[in-house]
Amino acid sequence: MKTRIAELRKQHKLSQEELGLAVGVTRQTITSLEVGKYTASLVLAYKIAKYFGLAIEDVFDFSEVEEEL
Amino acid sequence: MDKYKVSLKNRTNALSLVAAATLLIYVGLMYFQGGLPKLPSFIKGFHIGAFIGVELFVVSYLAKYMKAAKNETELKKLYIKESDERSGLILQKTATLGMSITFVGLAIAAIVAGFFSSLVFYTLLAALLTILIMFFALLVYFSKKN
Protein backbone atom coordinates (compact mmCIF):
# COMPACT_ATOMS: atom_id res chain seq x y z
CA MET A 1 0.00 0.00 0.00
CA LYS A 2 1.28 3.46 -0.90
CA THR A 3 1.66 5.93 1.95
CA ARG A 4 2.73 9.53 2.52
CA ILE A 5 4.77 8.58 5.58
CA ALA A 6 8.19 9.36 4.06
CA GLU A 7 6.96 12.75 2.81
CA LEU A 8 5.31 13.67 6.13
CA ARG A 9 8.34 12.46 8.07
CA LYS A 10 10.63 14.70 6.04
CA GLN A 11 8.26 17.64 6.48
CA HIS A 12 8.41 17.13 10.23
CA LYS A 13 12.21 16.55 10.08
CA LEU A 14 11.93 13.17 11.76
CA SER A 15 14.10 10.11 11.37
CA GLN A 16 12.54 6.68 10.88
CA GLU A 17 13.83 5.71 14.33
CA GLU A 18 12.13 8.73 15.94
CA LEU A 19 8.82 8.10 14.23
CA GLY A 20 9.05 4.40 15.14
CA LEU A 21 9.66 5.26 18.80
CA ALA A 22 6.71 7.67 18.78
CA VAL A 23 4.22 5.18 17.36
CA GLY A 24 5.65 2.02 18.96
CA VAL A 25 7.23 0.14 16.06
CA THR A 26 10.77 -0.56 14.89
CA ARG A 27 12.68 1.48 12.30
CA GLN A 28 12.44 -1.51 9.95
CA THR A 29 8.64 -1.40 10.09
CA ILE A 30 8.64 2.29 9.17
CA THR A 31 10.97 1.48 6.23
CA SER A 32 8.64 -1.30 5.05
CA LEU A 33 5.62 0.99 5.32
CA GLU A 34 7.38 3.73 3.36
CA VAL A 35 8.35 1.43 0.49
CA GLY A 36 4.91 -0.20 0.48
CA LYS A 37 6.11 -3.68 1.41
CA TYR A 38 4.01 -3.84 4.57
CA THR A 39 0.43 -2.76 5.27
CA ALA A 40 -0.09 -1.26 8.70
CA SER A 41 -2.73 -2.56 11.09
CA LEU A 42 -5.68 -0.30 11.80
CA VAL A 43 -4.21 0.63 15.20
CA LEU A 44 -0.81 1.51 13.74
CA ALA A 45 -2.41 3.48 10.88
CA TYR A 46 -4.44 5.41 13.45
CA LYS A 47 -1.34 6.12 15.58
CA ILE A 48 0.67 7.37 12.59
CA ALA A 49 -2.17 9.53 11.27
CA LYS A 50 -2.82 10.95 14.73
CA TYR A 51 0.90 11.67 15.20
CA PHE A 52 0.86 13.85 12.07
CA GLY A 53 -2.53 15.34 12.98
CA LEU A 54 -4.22 13.91 9.88
CA ALA A 55 -6.96 11.43 9.03
CA ILE A 56 -5.94 7.86 8.13
CA GLU A 57 -6.95 8.30 4.47
CA ASP A 58 -4.71 11.39 4.23
CA VAL A 59 -1.66 9.28 5.08
CA PHE A 60 -2.53 5.93 3.51
CA ASP A 61 -3.61 5.51 -0.11
CA PHE A 62 -6.68 3.26 -0.25
CA SER A 63 -7.24 3.55 -4.02
CA GLU A 64 -6.10 -0.08 -4.60
CA VAL A 65 -8.54 -1.29 -1.92
CA GLU A 66 -11.37 0.72 -3.47
CA GLU A 67 -10.68 -0.90 -6.86
CA GLU A 68 -11.11 -4.33 -5.27
CA LEU A 69 -14.58 -3.42 -3.92
CA MET B 1 5.17 0.58 30.51
CA ASP B 2 4.68 -0.28 34.20
CA LYS B 3 3.03 -3.57 33.22
CA TYR B 4 6.01 -4.34 30.99
CA LYS B 5 8.42 -3.55 33.85
CA VAL B 6 6.58 -6.09 36.03
CA SER B 7 6.67 -8.60 33.18
CA LEU B 8 10.46 -8.10 32.81
CA LYS B 9 10.93 -8.61 36.54
CA ASN B 10 8.93 -11.85 36.39
CA ARG B 11 10.92 -13.01 33.40
CA THR B 12 14.20 -12.19 35.19
CA ASN B 13 13.09 -14.27 38.18
CA ALA B 14 11.96 -17.16 35.96
CA LEU B 15 15.24 -17.12 34.01
CA SER B 16 17.29 -17.08 37.21
CA LEU B 17 15.30 -20.10 38.36
CA VAL B 18 15.94 -21.87 35.04
CA ALA B 19 19.68 -21.15 35.30
CA ALA B 20 19.83 -22.45 38.86
CA ALA B 21 17.70 -25.55 38.07
CA THR B 22 19.81 -26.37 34.99
CA LEU B 23 23.00 -26.05 37.02
CA LEU B 24 21.58 -28.25 39.81
CA ILE B 25 20.41 -30.92 37.36
CA TYR B 26 23.76 -30.94 35.57
CA VAL B 27 25.81 -31.09 38.79
CA GLY B 28 23.48 -33.81 40.12
CA LEU B 29 23.86 -35.87 36.95
CA MET B 30 27.66 -35.45 37.06
CA TYR B 31 27.70 -36.50 40.73
CA PHE B 32 25.61 -39.63 40.15
CA GLN B 33 27.30 -40.42 36.84
CA GLY B 34 28.49 -43.79 38.17
CA GLY B 35 24.91 -45.04 38.49
CA LEU B 36 23.97 -43.99 34.96
CA PRO B 37 24.49 -46.08 31.80
CA LYS B 38 27.73 -45.48 29.87
CA LEU B 39 27.05 -42.97 27.14
CA PRO B 40 28.81 -42.51 23.80
CA SER B 41 31.12 -39.49 23.80
CA PHE B 42 28.95 -37.68 21.23
CA ILE B 43 25.92 -37.78 23.57
CA LYS B 44 28.09 -36.64 26.50
CA GLY B 45 29.35 -33.76 24.40
CA PHE B 46 25.79 -32.92 23.40
CA HIS B 47 24.76 -32.80 27.08
CA ILE B 48 27.63 -30.45 27.94
CA GLY B 49 26.85 -28.29 24.91
CA ALA B 50 23.15 -28.12 25.83
CA PHE B 51 24.02 -27.16 29.40
CA ILE B 52 26.43 -24.41 28.31
CA GLY B 53 23.92 -23.24 25.68
CA VAL B 54 21.08 -22.89 28.22
CA GLU B 55 23.32 -21.04 30.67
CA LEU B 56 24.64 -18.65 28.00
CA PHE B 57 21.09 -18.02 26.72
CA VAL B 58 19.85 -17.25 30.22
CA VAL B 59 22.81 -14.98 31.05
CA SER B 60 22.44 -13.02 27.79
CA TYR B 61 18.71 -12.45 28.39
CA LEU B 62 19.27 -11.57 32.06
CA ALA B 63 21.87 -8.97 31.02
CA LYS B 64 19.45 -7.55 28.41
CA TYR B 65 16.56 -7.32 30.87
CA MET B 66 18.69 -5.80 33.63
CA LYS B 67 20.11 -3.20 31.27
CA ALA B 68 16.59 -2.28 30.08
CA ALA B 69 15.20 -2.09 33.62
CA LYS B 70 17.73 0.63 34.50
CA ASN B 71 17.08 2.90 31.52
CA GLU B 72 13.64 4.13 30.32
CA THR B 73 14.75 4.61 26.69
CA GLU B 74 16.26 1.12 26.56
CA LEU B 75 13.09 -0.23 28.16
CA LYS B 76 10.90 1.39 25.51
CA LYS B 77 13.20 0.18 22.72
CA LEU B 78 13.03 -3.39 24.04
CA TYR B 79 9.25 -3.17 24.39
CA ILE B 80 8.92 -1.91 20.82
CA LYS B 81 11.25 -4.64 19.56
CA GLU B 82 9.15 -7.30 21.27
CA SER B 83 5.74 -5.90 20.36
CA ASP B 84 6.46 -4.69 16.82
CA GLU B 85 3.51 -5.80 14.67
CA ARG B 86 5.57 -6.48 11.53
CA SER B 87 7.99 -8.73 13.46
CA GLY B 88 4.96 -10.54 14.89
CA LEU B 89 3.57 -11.10 11.41
CA ILE B 90 6.94 -12.35 10.12
CA LEU B 91 7.16 -14.78 13.03
CA GLN B 92 3.58 -15.94 12.47
CA LYS B 93 4.16 -16.60 8.76
CA THR B 94 7.49 -18.35 9.47
CA ALA B 95 5.88 -20.56 12.13
CA THR B 96 2.94 -21.47 9.89
CA LEU B 97 5.14 -22.45 6.95
CA GLY B 98 7.67 -24.15 9.22
CA MET B 99 4.89 -26.19 10.82
CA SER B 100 3.53 -27.31 7.45
CA ILE B 101 7.01 -28.33 6.26
CA THR B 102 7.57 -30.23 9.54
CA PHE B 103 4.25 -32.10 9.17
CA VAL B 104 4.92 -33.15 5.61
CA GLY B 105 8.61 -33.90 6.25
CA LEU B 106 7.88 -36.09 9.26
CA ALA B 107 5.08 -37.93 7.46
CA ILE B 108 7.31 -38.67 4.45
CA ALA B 109 10.22 -39.67 6.72
CA ALA B 110 7.92 -42.00 8.72
CA ILE B 111 6.62 -43.68 5.55
CA VAL B 112 10.15 -44.16 4.15
CA ALA B 113 11.52 -45.34 7.52
CA GLY B 114 8.70 -47.91 7.73
CA PHE B 115 10.38 -49.86 4.93
CA PHE B 116 13.65 -50.16 6.87
CA SER B 117 13.12 -49.98 10.63
CA SER B 118 9.98 -50.30 12.73
CA LEU B 119 11.69 -48.53 15.68
CA VAL B 120 12.46 -45.43 13.60
CA PHE B 121 8.97 -45.60 12.06
CA TYR B 122 7.22 -45.60 15.46
CA THR B 123 9.53 -42.87 16.79
CA LEU B 124 8.75 -40.60 13.82
CA LEU B 125 5.06 -41.44 14.02
CA ALA B 126 5.01 -40.57 17.74
CA ALA B 127 6.77 -37.27 17.01
CA LEU B 128 4.27 -36.50 14.22
CA LEU B 129 1.26 -37.32 16.42
CA THR B 130 2.63 -35.26 19.32
CA ILE B 131 3.10 -32.23 17.06
CA LEU B 132 -0.36 -32.72 15.50
CA ILE B 133 -2.06 -32.97 18.92
CA MET B 134 -0.20 -29.89 20.14
CA PHE B 135 -1.08 -28.00 16.95
CA PHE B 136 -4.81 -28.76 17.21
CA ALA B 137 -4.89 -28.06 20.96
CA LEU B 138 -3.34 -24.63 20.31
CA LEU B 139 -5.66 -24.06 17.35
CA VAL B 140 -8.72 -24.66 19.56
CA TYR B 141 -7.23 -22.49 22.33
CA PHE B 142 -6.52 -19.52 20.07
CA SER B 143 -9.83 -19.92 18.19
CA LYS B 144 -11.68 -19.55 21.47
CA LYS B 145 -9.42 -16.75 22.67
CA ASN B 146 -9.76 -14.57 19.55
Side-chain angles (χ1 to χ4, degrees), chain B residues 43-54:
Chain B
I43 298 180
K44 269 188 189 171
F46 186 85
H47 285 163
I48 295 169
F51 166 74
I52 293 170
V54 168

Side-chain angles (χ1 to χ4, degrees), chain A:
Chain A
M1 179 182 276
K2 284 177 195 164
T3 75
R4 286 180 58 215
I5 296 173
E7 175 197 333
L8 291 164
R9 194 171 53 75
K10 278 168 197 161
Q11 274 177 19
H12 286 76
K13 294 190 172 102
L14 280 170
S15 69
Q16 290 180 329
E17 181 92 39
E18 285 165 336
L19 178 61
L21 262 173
V23 296
V25 292
T26 58
R27 183 190 57 76
Q28 289 87 343
T29 299
I30 300 293
T31 308
S32 290
L33 285 168
E34 286 184 359
V35 296
K37 266 169 68 180
Y38 175 67
T39 304
S41 71
L42 183 62
V43 176
L44 179 58
Y46 172 74
K47 282 182 183 173
I48 293 171
K50 195 178 176 194
Y51 183 82
F52 290 120
L54 296 166
I56 290 178
E57 59 267 34
D58 295 329
V59 181
F60 296 87
D61 179 9
F62 289 97
S63 56
E64 284 174 24
V65 181
E66 277 165 13
E67 279 171 22
E68 288 171 17
L69 293 172

Side-chain angles (χ1 to χ4, degrees), chain A residues 21 24-26 28-29 32 38 40-41 44, chain B residues 73 76-77 80-81 83-87 89:
Chain A
L21 262 173
V25 292
T26 58
Q28 289 87 343
T29 299
S32 290
Y38 175 67
S41 71
L44 179 58
Chain B
T73 317
K76 194 173 182 191
K77 274 185 185 170
I80 287 174
K81 201 176 163 192
S83 61
D84 180 58
E85 61 174 51
R86 181 175 151 271
S87 306
L89 182 75

